Amino acid sequence: MAANVTTPGAIEPKLWMGGIEPMKASYGKLMMWFFLISDTFTFSALLVAYGYQRFSFPAFSGEVADFTFSNMWWPIPEKVYEAVPFLHGIALPLVFVGIMTFILIASSVTMVLAVEAGHRMDRANVEKYMLWTILGGFTFLGCQAWEWSHFIHGTDAGSVMKVIENGVWVEKTVHGANLTENQYGPAAFADFFFFITGFHGTHVFSGVILNILIFFRAATGFYDKRGSYEMVEKVGLYWHFVDLVWVFVFTFFYLV
């Protein structure tokens, strides 16, 4: 059996040096993917916990029972999320939440266009589409702030909400929910709403701050000097993740 002989003066290949890119992905992209995977576990755990609580309560069967809505029945999403700004007293189930979802998905499209422009080293279009993405993020956060305000203060502004009392539907002014009181339903309903939507909103806000930083660096020619717009792509991965998580949050909270 022949022994391995190293030629004098030959340089041995070192496969694990920092310059090697596994799967043609840079170190920064890999670290972003690792972070997103870990964040996926966090959101998954929260949504699974919400689902467990949601289905531990019986669905309203329409039969008369000696239980109040707040103590026994899980709130019906179409009844809780039916308000739209400037349209007090008009029930439009899930319309406003649908608008919020459209805005966030549209911002994901503009982020894709910014990344594509970065691949072409097109600084002007990177700036344009990053601005649109930032605007979409701020708009979504503004909508979420209004939704939180309405959820907390209830329907005092002029409309009433149909709830179940003693097993029958009645119209009643609902004063909303906070961390100590919840007139929509079980206390866990408000707790999960504030925590999960707030946690997602924090991610959106962080993404907007990162997008602003990337925009200013692009506008000052930082990436032109570096010769690469890869940072736009890395932040784009985070923004797409935030959008995808909202699809699951929307499904769990507003549709189920």
Side-chain angles (χ1 to χ4, degrees), residues 17 94 100 126:
M17 294 179 64
L94 305 181
M100 291 172 56
V126 169

Side-chain angles (χ1 to χ4, degrees), residues 77-78 81-83 92-99 250 254-255:
E78 291 85 352
Y81 311 107
E82 63 179 12
L92 298 171
L94 305 181
V95 169
F96 186 63
V97 181
I99 294 172
F250 174 81
Y254 304 101
L255 298 182

Side-chain angles (χ1 to χ4, degrees), residues 94-255:
L94 305 181
V95 169
F96 186 63
V97 181
I99 294 172
M100 291 172 56
T101 303
F102 174 79
I103 291 171
L104 200 59
I105 292 176
S107 72
S108 190
V109 174
T110 57
M111 176 59 82
V112 169
L113 296 174
V115 172
E116 189 274 336
H119 289 160
R120 294 185 285 105
M121 301 294 292
D122 187 347
R123 174 176 163 183
N125 275 319
V126 169
E127 295 175 21
K128 178 177 69 175
Y129 291 121
M130 287 302 297
L131 274 178
W132 278 111
T133 305
I134 293 167
L135 178 62
F138 273 128
T139 304
F140 177 84
L141 290 173
C143 291
Q144 192 169 54
W146 183 90
E147 185 188 38
W148 269 48
S149 176
H150 183 270
F151 188 81
I152 293 171
H153 296 102
T155 55
D156 291 338
S159 63
V160 295
M161 176 180 174
K162 287 186 177 181
V163 300
I164 303 170
E165 286 188 347
N166 297 321
V168 296
W169 288 103
V170 297
E171 289 189 345
K172 179 182 179 181
T173 299
V174 179
H175 299 286
N178 51 49
L179 294 179
T180 59
E181 181 185 13
N182 176 24
Q183 293 189 15
Y184 293 112
F189 175 72
D191 295 341
F192 275 110
F193 175 82
F194 287 126
F195 191 89
I196 295 181
T197 61
F199 191 49
H200 177 266
T202 303
H203 279 69
V204 175
F205 180 74
S206 300
V208 170
I209 298 302
L210 290 173
N211 288 339
I212 292 174
L213 176 62
I214 297 302
F215 167 77
F216 278 108
R217 284 199 160 188
T220 56
F222 179 84
Y223 299 121
D224 287 329
K225 296 175 184 177
R226 177 181 284 184
S228 171
Y229 279 79
E230 185 187 28
M231 195 63 193
V232 179
E233 186 174 357
K234 287 187 281 190
V235 174
L237 289 173
Y238 177 80
W239 192 253
H240 296 321
F241 169 79
V242 168
D243 293 354
L244 180 62
V245 167
W246 176 253
V247 172
F248 287 96
V249 173
F250 174 81
T251 302
F252 271 71
F253 271 102
Y254 304 101
L255 298 182

Side-chain angles (χ1 to χ4, degrees), residues 54-70:
R54 164 68 180 85
F55 291 104
S56 65
F57 286 83
F60 177 62
S61 62
E63 300 176 357
V64 176
D66 294 327
F67 298 99
T68 62
F69 177 68
S70 60

